[in-house]
Amino acid sequence: MKARNLFNFGPALGYFFRKNDPNRHTNFNLRSMHFINKLSMAMFLVGLLVMLFRYVL
């Protein structure tokens, strides 16, 4: 396994910017679940960037 595969954030970033599917039924629970998922991934990526920044300095 190469290091490039370990740091492939393409699917995670695609989750943030994908469009809504008009054929899929949505409700409050589903919207809140997706919001919490996006928030947790954003917090993880920010934490990862902070750790990398501290390691470099």
Side-chain angles (χ1 to χ4, degrees):
M1 181 176 284
K2 294 187 177 187
R4 179 176 44 160
N5 294 335
L6 293 174
F7 294 101
N8 184 10
F9 295 114
L13 293 175
Y15 181 76
F16 284 102
F17 301 112
R18 69 179 176 186
K19 297 185 180 192
N20 293 336
D21 185 7
N23 298 326
R24 180 178 285 180
H25 178 71
T26 61
N27 58 16
F28 175 75
N29 292 332
L30 188 61
R31 286 193 313 265
S32 61
M33 180 195 69
H34 283 290
F35 173 75
I36 291 170
N37 284 344
K38 289 178 183 180
L39 182 64
S40 65
M41 283 192 287
M43 290 174 63
F44 172 76
L45 292 175
V46 167
L48 188 64
L49 289 174
V50 168
M51 288 175 57
L52 289 172
F53 181 74
R54 286 181 181 176
Y55 179 75
V56 169
L57 293 179

